[in-house]
Amino acid sequence: MRYLPKSPAEREEMLASLGLQSSEDLFSSIPGNIPRCGHLAIPSGLSEFEIRAYFERRARDAAQGYACFLGAGAYSHFRPVVVDSIATRGEFLTAYTPYQAEISQGVLTGIFEFQTMVAQLTGMEVANASMYDGSTAVPEAGMMAARITRRTRLLVASSVHPEYRQVLDTYFRHQGLQAETVPFQGDTGQVDMEALDSRLSGDVAAVLVQSPNFFGVVEQVKDLADLAHGSGALLVVIFSEAASLGLLKPPACADIVAGELQSFAHPPSFGGPYVGVLATKKRNIRQMPGRLVGQTVDSNGRRAYCLTLATREQHIRRARATSNICTNQALVALMATVYMALLGKSGLRELAEQNLAKAHFLSAKIRESGAEPVFTGPFFNEFAVRPMARSADEVNRAALGNGIIGGLDLGRFYPDLAGALLVCATETATRDQMERYAACFGGDHSE
Amino acid sequence: MSRVRRHVTLDEPLLFERSSPGKSGCQLPPLDVPEVDAEQALGSNLVRREVRGFPEVSEVEVVRHFTRLSSWNYAIDLGLYPLGSCTMKYNPRLNEAVARIDGIASAHPYQPESLSQGLLEIQRTLEAFLGEICGMDAVTLQPAAGAHGELTGLLLIRAYHEANGDPRRVVLIPDSAHGTNPATASIAGYDVLEIASNASGMIDVARLKAAVDDSVAALMVTNPNTVGIFERDIQEVARILHAGGAQLYMDGANMNALAGIARPGDFGVDVMHLNLHKTFSTPHGGGGPGAGPVAVREHLEPFLPLPRIFDDPHGLRFDWDRPKSIGRVRAFYGNFGVLVRALSYILAHGGDGLRNATVDAVLNANYVRKGLEGHYDLPYNAASMHECVFSDSRQSRRGVKTGDIAKRLIDYGFHPYTVSFPLIVRGALMIEPTETESKRELDAFISAMQAIAEEVERDADLVRKAPFNTRTSRVDETRAARKPVVVWEPRSRK
């Protein structure tokens, strides 16, 4: 086996030095009444060539070469090659969690930069070293809010990503926390402020909203913060499309920001691995879940970094930890850090402007072709439309025939919105692709 | 110390300190549609002026920045990484290549099932292989890491008991367990009752028996345990639990000792998680991403997270209609890219190859143990599986702790072992070499550890002040925690 670095003679020599006759003797501490597995029903080992061919075949049996107008929590963005050339360096790829600070300054410095850029993007004061993804960052933010306020009710906008809300339900079920949904306004697609107001009371720990929300609509975060804070609740702002933060005002009035940074350098990869973020105000730092890198000095007084505030974490506090998270998404966070560094201040702005322009172009073209917008609220790179000339299903089937994967039928998560499509255009969408997809909304289009 | 020699590493400021206005490391193609005025489209109150503080650097500076940072790290690609319970084995580069194939990396989680057949097949195949390795009936790939798998497993147990009209509130956990076990039990809404280990470092069957009553939902056990010893009484443990109506959860962090040798499903385990970033070689990446699939016996299958994959006349499809499911533990279908890498690893080994890898892992651990016995105190005498645990009791008489020995090991060109864990060993040195180390590398490690033991006798202070060969000397962790600085501010420059 090419990954095992011992010759048969070396194996014999090592066994002999242990006074053992055969490799079976190594397992003598497993009692005899425990069955041994014999041959596993797994085919014999394959060569590199064969394994590559295996996966290439599987990839051909998937959507290779399609243009894609799906967003909904997973976004296709341009990826500079530098990201992978850094992320595949063995010194990053094959390092462990940086518990030994003296030989992990590279990872630690990178995470410190990640935390800083997440704070800058979100308008928060501190950020952690990452969560699994957006969907798990959300319940962690909710539990954190409950710890801070010592309250147990959470109001969650129904326009938060439906799968994030499902994960939240799973986490909350046994925490003694109650999550209630708050509807959106049928016309704007934004949180229904009156409904929110009527549900707020002194036992609400936090209001959780997403902006841009699942429909791509940007929320009036400041108004939501005022309302939440008015009854002593925290505001948790969620985002799934990080590119929007290049243009949108940061949710600095929020108490906790939880989101997904997949847009920054990681491909959609059929849903993972992504990278969740959690950011907050300084005063809440000891209630944060997850790892944190802090600045310090070495014994020679030189600046250095190390993991810090570990007393919040499971390996120290065990059953009383702020979270059970251990392994996070460090390498994906590094990729996002490299990406943010490459784009920089002006690149991120331009990226966001291009997304805005492409999505508005596509929205206009689709309307011309035969569809109505579902919501009037402002949108960034994603929007909901209802086809008029033909059904959503027909639109997307026509698109597939043209090598295009169309938008998501919202009926999957919102029965009332069945037949409306959630469509996303990032900077990777070309004018030609967008015109071809828009044409599929026309009644006269032939398949 | 023939293994190491000093060489120049470059200093490097933070990105923010390199930044100057007007630079960028990226160029987008020209916009092929009309520009849109952001303030008009979104409303001026919703648009930010800039991302204040964001860096502005060129491409070459970014490459040099991160390359210089990388030179400050230790990594498996440099040498032995003997962290106990972490299974830091070689990460095959092929796995990186296949995860990046177009059609796999580019796949959107909501693309039509008809255009995802190859991807569903990857998941199904991996589920089947992992089920076979564990001797279990069904597997979910959704959990994102080990602790996430633990949570999933306990929620399955909870749902099972509740479905039987018998909600229970206590989870038993041996005092040798990983910290994630009790933390997870709390998140799953359980009270934790710790069970003290017996004098051999194993589960105390009598104590367990006394603790199992109708309030106990499950025992979380790691096998081999964190001392690297196979739990001899595991079948009896399973019998006691099952007789009391409780479930047996296994933390699969140490599956590198069992894959291809013995299967948890065959010794009474009801549910377990695997760490693909340990046993199945996916890179640890400086702290993730991992993947924590959960394998279950048949009776827990109806409760697995949504969605499941099933065969239908038109191909593979997602099944969303599972009324007993615990719901979702993560959006989409888990860390798919990590799953691809793990499958690539299993395909490379094959069934017999997995067994051979386990044999070498256990051989290496015992070889190291043999080399260090006599130099370090071995608190438990039972045979070791894939890792061995020493204590610093001899060295601490000279004022040298396990953490000091670890730092000195860095000077010899090795990453330290796991320090001060498991908690049942005072001053633990927990060593797991894995199968991907050559005899030569192990011999060098043993020599280094022996040399340090001698140094402790000769010059304890030398060991206490180590490391000396690193660009960063011993780091002041207390100061970092006292007044935490976790983001850069211009004044935090030193």
Side-chain angles (χ1 to χ4, degrees):
Chain A
M1 207 293 145
R2 56 193 180 278
Y3 303 151
L4 297 179
K6 266 190 281 294
S7 70
E10 285 169 336
R11 244 179 230 118
E12 290 302 313
E13 190 189 335
M14 288 171 70
L15 274 173
S17 77
L18 297 173
L20 302 178
Q21 308 292 321
S22 81
S23 62
E24 191 51 36
D25 297 342
L26 288 164
F27 300 94
S28 57
S29 63
I30 301 180
N33 57 351
I34 288 179
R36 295 305 174 84
C37 44
H39 288 286
L40 292 174
I42 295 174
S44 308
L46 301 179
S47 67
E48 176 166 334
F49 181 87
E50 292 164 296
I51 292 171
R52 228 178 210 291
Y54 173 91
F55 285 104
E56 272 160 9
R57 244 183 350 260
R58 299 301 169 283
R60 276 197 299 277
D61 201 5
Q64 244 175 359
Y66 281 76
C68 180
F69 291 100
L70 285 166
Y75 301 90
S76 298
H77 287 286
F78 163 70
R79 302 182 64 240
V81 292
V82 167
V83 171
D84 271 355
S85 45
I86 296 297
T88 54
R89 286 190 70 88
E91 300 89 334
F92 285 123
L93 184 75
T94 75
Y96 192 70
T97 303
Y99 290 122
Q100 296 291 340
E102 294 81 2
I103 46 173
S104 307
Q105 286 297 306
V107 169
L108 288 162
T109 306
I111 296 173
F112 186 78
E113 292 177 331
F114 172 81
Q115 291 173 176
T116 303
M117 285 194 267
V118 169
Q120 291 166 344
L121 273 175
T122 57
M124 292 289 102
E125 293 166 347
V126 295
N128 76 5
S130 74
M131 308 302 290
Y132 303 135
D133 72 339
S135 76
T136 51
V138 168
E140 292 276 11
M143 292 190 286
M144 179 177 157
R147 284 194 299 273
I148 293 169
T149 58
R150 296 169 194 271
R151 298 177 178 184
T152 55
R153 268 179 77 214
L154 290 105
L155 303 180
V156 186
S158 62
S159 50
V160 170
H161 195 302
E163 295 204 16
Y164 292 13
R165 285 187 286 123
Q166 289 167 0
V167 175
L168 183 114
D169 286 342
T170 308
Y171 270 71
F172 276 15
R173 201 167 304 151
H174 309 296
Q175 288 279 304
L177 302 176
Q178 296 91 47
E180 295 163 35
T181 50
V182 179
F184 54 88
Q185 282 178 314
D187 52 350
T188 63
Q190 293 169 323
V191 173
D192 183 333
M193 300 289 273
E194 277 177 32
L196 173 61
D197 198 19
S198 71
R199 283 168 174 75
L200 273 166
S201 59
D203 59 351
V204 174
V207 174
L208 284 72
V209 301
Q210 180 177 325
S211 183
N213 65 27
F214 187 67
F215 310 122
V217 175
V218 182
E219 297 283 358
Q220 295 292 346
V221 174
K222 182 71 176 64
D223 297 345
L224 291 162
D226 291 343
L227 206 52
H229 293 158
S231 65
L234 305 186
L235 181 70
V236 176
V237 173
I238 298 158
F239 65 90
S240 67
E241 172 48 296
S244 67
L245 288 166
L247 208 47
L248 293 179
K249 193 157 272 185
C253 51
D255 301 279
I256 304 171
V257 177
E260 173 60 67
L261 233 50
Q262 172 269 328
S263 287
F264 290 172
H266 206 280
S269 190
F270 210 46
Y274 293 173
V275 52
V277 302
L278 199 127
T280 186
K281 300 284 169 65
K282 261 182 196 161
R283 61 175 175 272
N284 301 325
I285 192 168
R286 284 172 202 275
Q287 292 301 335
M288 285 186 99
R291 291 179 186 137
L292 278 168
V293 169
Q295 183 177 305
T296 184
V297 293
D298 70 6
S299 60
N300 293 314
R302 284 176 304 222
R303 182 169 71 182
Y305 300 95
C306 63
L307 292 172
T308 194
L309 297 183
T311 50
R312 300 164 299 117
E313 291 186 74
Q314 47 77 26
H315 62 283
I316 308 290
R317 187 157 294 177
R318 300 177 75 88
R320 290 182 307 284
T322 54
S323 165
N324 70 333
I325 191 169
C326 178
T327 291
N328 56 27
Q329 304 288 122
L331 191 72
V332 191
L334 176 80
M335 292 164 91
T337 309
V338 175
Y339 179 88
M340 290 188 278
L342 284 167
L343 264 72
K345 197 184 272 187
S346 61
L348 184 64
R349 179 79 180 196
E350 191 188 346
L351 173 88
E353 285 171 349
Q354 285 213 4
N355 276 259
L356 184 77
K358 299 260 183 175
H360 281 75
F361 175 82
L362 178 58
S363 164
K365 284 284 165 199
I366 287 177
R367 271 181 285 149
E368 278 170 28
S369 184
E372 280 184 355
V374 178
F375 301 115
T376 57
F379 65 95
F380 173 62
N381 69 355
E382 205 167 6
F383 53 90
V385 286
R386 187 176 290 284
M388 304 307 286
R390 56 203 318 200
S391 73
D393 202 40
E394 286 166 340
V395 169
N396 276 356
R397 258 188 288 133
L400 280 180
N402 279 285
I404 292 169
I405 297 172
L408 178 79
D409 191 324
L410 284 168
R412 175 170 179 158
F413 298 114
Y414 301 88
D416 294 353
L417 295 174
L421 292 170
L422 181 64
V423 177
C424 172
T426 72
E427 79 286 357
T428 59
T430 65
R431 182 177 187 130
D432 172 60
Q433 290 166 346
M434 292 192 283
E435 284 171 343
R436 282 195 289 128
Y437 183 45
C440 296
F441 285 76
D444 57 343
H445 190 90
S446 56
E447 280 180 36
Chain B
M1 250 189 238
S2 60
R3 184 182 166 88
V4 293
R5 206 193 296 181
R6 278 181 177 273
H7 86 133
V8 170
T9 60
L10 293 165
D11 276 337
E12 173 66 16
L14 295 177
L15 286 164
F16 319 102
E17 296 160 349
R18 269 206 171 281
S19 176
S20 48
K23 287 200 279 189
S24 176
C26 178
Q27 185 183 351
L28 293 173
L31 195 57
D32 60 359
V33 299
E35 275 182 47
V36 168
D37 184 288
E39 298 206 349
Q40 234 166 38
L42 299 167
S44 56
N45 64 322
L46 291 179
V47 177
R48 80 197 297 169
R49 271 191 44 230
E50 61 168 11
V51 182
R52 205 185 312 153
F54 231 52
E56 296 177 81
V57 285
S58 62
E59 179 174 321
V60 59
E61 288 170 299
V62 172
V63 170
R64 283 196 183 146
H65 175 79
F66 288 101
T67 304
R68 288 175 182 178
L69 259 55
S70 77
S71 74
W72 307 343
N73 285 344
Y74 191 83
I76 302 170
D77 282 1
L78 287 168
L80 176 73
Y81 217 120
L83 283 169
S85 269
C86 300
T87 314
M88 292 293 281
K89 61 172 73 176
Y90 169 63
N91 306 147
R93 282 309 194 281
L94 170 63
N95 305 354
E96 295 308 302
V98 296
R100 285 172 167 80
I101 291 173
D102 182 44
I104 291 177
S106 58
H108 191 284
Y110 291 149
Q111 69 191 29
E113 283 165 1
S114 59
L115 289 177
S116 308
Q117 290 297 301
L119 311 173
L120 297 181
E121 199 190 321
I122 285 171
Q123 294 186 74
R124 267 274 290 252
T125 307
L126 182 61
E127 283 182 4
F129 286 173
L130 296 178
E132 169 70 7
I133 291 164
C134 298
M136 306 292 272
D137 300 315
V139 174
T140 173
L141 303 173
Q142 200 173 100
H148 204 215
E150 291 173 26
L151 177 63
T152 307
L154 287 192
L155 293 177
L156 293 172
I157 288 172
R158 215 180 158 118
Y160 170 77
H161 285 310
E162 284 174 3
N164 293 337
D166 181 24
R168 296 172 169 229
R169 55 177 183 78
V170 176
V171 166
L172 305 176
I173 299 178
D175 55 359
S176 58
H178 299 115
T180 49
N181 292 179
T184 299
S186 290
I187 304 249
Y190 283 114
D191 296 333
V192 174
L193 185 65
E194 203 172 80
I195 305 283
S197 302
N198 66 19
S200 327
M202 292 192 233
I203 293 177
D204 191 317
V205 175
R207 273 199 200 117
L208 177 74
K209 211 168 195 166
V212 173
D213 59 26
D214 59 12
S215 72
V216 171
L219 168 76
M220 296 181 87
V221 65
T222 306
N223 192 23
N225 64 23
T226 56
V227 194
I229 299 172
F230 190 90
E231 289 285 356
R232 199 179 44 213
D233 299 319
I234 189 72
Q235 284 181 314
E236 175 65 8
V237 166
R239 258 194 301 275
I240 292 169
L241 289 163
H242 292 153
Q247 297 279 290
L248 180 55
Y249 183 95
M250 187 174 120
D251 179 329
N254 292 343
M255 265 309 277
N256 215 43
L258 297 183
I261 300 289
R263 310 195 306 171
D266 295 339
F267 53 74
V269 170
D270 298 295
V271 47
M272 63 180 291
H273 79 265
L274 293 161
N275 300 75
L276 300 188
H277 47 295
K278 295 181 180 177
T279 318
F280 298 95
S281 86
T282 71
H284 213 288
V294 169
V296 297
R297 299 300 307 272
E298 207 174 3
H299 64 281
L300 294 174
E301 193 276 342
F303 306 99
L304 288 175
L306 291 170
R308 301 287 299 150
I309 297 170
F310 76 106
D311 257 314
D312 139 313
H314 303 294
L316 296 170
R317 302 194 52 186
F318 286 119
D319 181 5
W320 301 92
D321 183 23
R322 296 179 52 88
K324 290 184 172 176
S325 168
I326 60 166
R328 279 190 166 281
V329 295
R330 187 196 179 286
F332 313 124
Y333 328 112
N335 279 345
F336 184 75
V338 178
L339 307 178
V340 168
R341 289 169 174 87
L343 180 58
S344 172
Y345 173 86
I346 295 173
L347 290 173
H349 282 78
D352 292 342
L354 290 173
R355 181 188 184 280
N356 295 340
T358 303
V359 166
D360 276 5
V362 175
L363 176 61
N364 282 0
N366 281 280
Y367 186 76
V368 167
R369 171 173 158 167
K370 174 100 176 165
L372 299 185
E373 267 178 303
H375 301 268
Y376 295 88
D377 173 64
L378 190 71
Y380 297 111
N381 217 2
S384 293
M385 297 288 287
H386 68 302
E387 66 191 1
C388 52
V389 177
F390 291 92
S391 90
D392 65 8
S393 68
R394 287 186 204 185
Q395 289 72 29
S396 63
R397 271 179 246 135
R398 311 270 307 168
V400 174
K401 304 283 189 201
T402 175
D404 301 318
I405 300 165
K407 297 298 185 199
R408 184 60 178 152
L409 194 52
I410 294 171
D411 280 336
Y412 283 84
F414 292 98
H415 193 279
Y417 45 79
T418 295
V419 175
S420 302
F421 184 85
L423 303 179
I424 60 168
V425 174
R426 203 185 161 86
L429 296 68
M430 187 196 208
I431 304 172
E432 179 183 5
T434 84
E435 71 278 11
T436 59
E437 296 305 330
S438 66
K439 178 172 178 297
R440 186 191 174 89
E441 186 77 1
L442 297 174
D443 286 335
F445 174 72
I446 292 166
S447 302
M449 288 293 290
Q450 290 174 347
I452 295 169
E454 280 163 33
E455 284 174 350
V456 170
E457 299 305 317
R458 211 175 54 238
D459 184 1
D461 216 36
L462 173 83
V463 180
R464 271 199 302 269
K465 291 200 171 119
F468 303 97
N469 290 338
T470 49
R471 54 172 286 115
T472 300
S473 58
R474 206 175 280 206
V475 166
D476 187 349
E477 295 185 1
T478 314
R479 177 181 165 136
R482 210 168 43 227
K483 204 163 180 285
V485 177
V486 301
V487 303
W488 179 81
E489 287 160 23
R491 65 173 182 281
S492 69
R493 182 169 190 174
K494 166 113 193 161

